[in-house]
Structure formats: C-alpha cells, structure tokens
Amino acid sequence: MTAFRIIVPTVVAALLAGVVPVAAEPASRHAKGSFDVSTKPVEQDKGDGSTLGRFSLDKTYHGALEASGRGQMLTVGTEIPGSAVYVATERVVGNLDGKAGSFALVHRGSMRGKDLSLIIDIVPDSGSGALKGIAGRLAITVVDGKHQYDLEYTLPQ
C-alpha cells in the first residue's frame, strides 16, 4: 500500500507536468451512404397481447461502406398498430473508406406511435483486418422509401 501511495502522486505529477505522454483519442469519422435490406421470416409465435418473431437479415451497403451484412432479428409486435420492438445482431464484411475487414453491429429499436428509438452500436472488439479496434455507432434514416446510413466511427492510430 505504501508503494501505491508513492507511485500514484508521482504519476499524476508527471502527467500534469507533461512528462508522460497521454495518447490522444482517435478522431471520429463519418461514413455515409445507402443500403438495401431484405428480411425473411424464420419463426413466429402468436400469443395473447403480443407476437414474437424471428427473421433473417441480409443487407448490401453502398457508399463509403461497400459491404454485405448478415444477421438475425428478434421482434415483438403488439395488438396496437405502431407498437413494437426489435433486437438484432449483424456481421458486416467489406470495405470501409477503403479499409478491408469486418465488424459486428447490435441493434435495439422500439416504437410506440410516433415515439421511436433506434440505437445501433459496433460490438466492442468485433473488428477484423484493417478494421481491428473499430468503435462507433450507426444511424439509419429512411427518405422516400430509401434507407440511408451514417456510420460514426473511430479506428486506432
């Protein structure tokens, strides 16, 4: 414990004095484009008040992300139109801003009438190839029936 009391203040003092370099956070980048998506029902379980569903997911990304995505989606729909949730996992393989590799995404979405929530994160430590260490979040918008993405990401230096 005595060594800890001596080392910590020494390291803090060195950091404040600029003696120990602190790694800079990598700059966040944006990759934008469109994608095509196809879902196929795998299983459905209807019950009182809700329907559970499972779907296969296939995507083709265009733009700064030239890739294919494959995944599985679980859904819960209710008897109220416009009220549902989904979770999904997806592996994306291709090129991101010219860097070849893959990474995985985790989706969490819910809707209740006009209240929508969609969070899609890159799965930590899922990057491979030139995308090893990738982190970030994907945003999706639908304009005139066409799916658009904005992938905000960082890569280690």
Side-chain angles (χ1 to χ4, degrees), residues 141-148:
T141 56
V142 180
V143 179
D144 297 328
K146 190 160 174 104
H147 290 84
Q148 306 287 322

mmCIF file of all heavy atoms in Angstrom, residues 141-148:
data_model
loop_
_atom_site.group_PDB
_atom_site.id
_atom_site.type_symbol
_atom_site.label_atom_id
_atom_site.label_comp_id
_atom_site.label_asym_id
_atom_site.label_seq_id
_atom_site.Cartn_x
_atom_site.Cartn_y
_atom_site.Cartn_z
ATOM 1 N N THR A 141 -31.672 6.457 -41.472
ATOM 2 C CA THR A 141 -32.835 7.269 -41.824
ATOM 3 C C THR A 141 -33.450 6.660 -43.083
ATOM 4 O O THR A 141 -32.760 6.008 -43.867
ATOM 5 C CB THR A 141 -32.465 8.743 -42.094
ATOM 6 O OG1 THR A 141 -31.463 8.798 -43.103
ATOM 7 C CG2 THR A 141 -31.961 9.427 -40.839
ATOM 8 N N VAL A 142 -34.740 6.859 -43.234
ATOM 9 C CA VAL A 142 -35.429 6.403 -44.435
ATOM 10 C C VAL A 142 -36.026 7.638 -45.097
ATOM 11 O O VAL A 142 -36.841 8.342 -44.506
ATOM 12 C CB VAL A 142 -36.533 5.370 -44.104
ATOM 13 C CG1 VAL A 142 -37.224 4.908 -45.384
ATOM 14 C CG2 VAL A 142 -35.950 4.190 -43.347
ATOM 15 N N VAL A 143 -35.551 7.917 -46.332
ATOM 16 C CA VAL A 143 -36.001 9.084 -47.086
ATOM 17 C C VAL A 143 -36.617 8.586 -48.380
ATOM 18 O O VAL A 143 -35.944 7.912 -49.169
ATOM 19 C CB VAL A 143 -34.819 10.050 -47.375
ATOM 20 C CG1 VAL A 143 -35.294 11.243 -48.175
ATOM 21 C CG2 VAL A 143 -34.148 10.484 -46.083
ATOM 22 N N ASP A 144 -37.895 8.912 -48.590
ATOM 23 C CA ASP A 144 -38.613 8.472 -49.791
ATOM 24 C C ASP A 144 -38.477 6.963 -50.007
ATOM 25 O O ASP A 144 -38.267 6.500 -51.123
ATOM 26 C CB ASP A 144 -38.122 9.230 -51.030
ATOM 27 C CG ASP A 144 -38.398 10.723 -50.951
ATOM 28 O OD1 ASP A 144 -39.420 11.105 -50.341
ATOM 29 O OD2 ASP A 144 -37.589 11.505 -51.487
ATOM 30 N N GLY A 145 -38.565 6.195 -48.924
ATOM 31 C CA GLY A 145 -38.508 4.747 -49.004
ATOM 32 C C GLY A 145 -37.108 4.168 -49.176
ATOM 33 O O GLY A 145 -36.948 2.967 -49.264
ATOM 34 N N LYS A 146 -36.081 5.032 -49.237
ATOM 35 C CA LYS A 146 -34.699 4.567 -49.420
ATOM 36 C C LYS A 146 -33.956 4.658 -48.093
ATOM 37 O O LYS A 146 -33.992 5.677 -47.419
ATOM 38 C CB LYS A 146 -34.006 5.419 -50.476
ATOM 39 C CG LYS A 146 -32.673 4.860 -50.879
ATOM 40 C CD LYS A 146 -32.245 5.414 -52.226
ATOM 41 C CE LYS A 146 -30.851 4.940 -52.524
ATOM 42 N NZ LYS A 146 -30.802 3.893 -53.488
ATOM 43 N N HIS A 147 -33.274 3.567 -47.717
ATOM 44 C CA HIS A 147 -32.537 3.511 -46.457
ATOM 45 C C HIS A 147 -31.174 4.191 -46.605
ATOM 46 O O HIS A 147 -30.416 3.879 -47.525
ATOM 47 C CB HIS A 147 -32.324 2.057 -46.027
ATOM 48 C CG HIS A 147 -33.565 1.369 -45.605
ATOM 49 N ND1 HIS A 147 -34.431 0.775 -46.491
ATOM 50 C CD2 HIS A 147 -34.097 1.178 -44.383
ATOM 51 C CE1 HIS A 147 -35.444 0.247 -45.826
ATOM 52 N NE2 HIS A 147 -35.261 0.470 -44.537
ATOM 53 N N GLN A 148 -30.875 5.098 -45.679
ATOM 54 C CA GLN A 148 -29.595 5.805 -45.631
ATOM 55 C C GLN A 148 -28.912 5.478 -44.303
ATOM 56 O O GLN A 148 -29.592 5.285 -43.295
ATOM 57 C CB GLN A 148 -29.808 7.321 -45.713
ATOM 58 C CG GLN A 148 -30.622 7.783 -46.901
ATOM 59 C CD GLN A 148 -29.851 7.695 -48.194
ATOM 60 O OE1 GLN A 148 -28.662 7.980 -48.222
ATOM 61 N NE2 GLN A 148 -30.518 7.280 -49.260
#
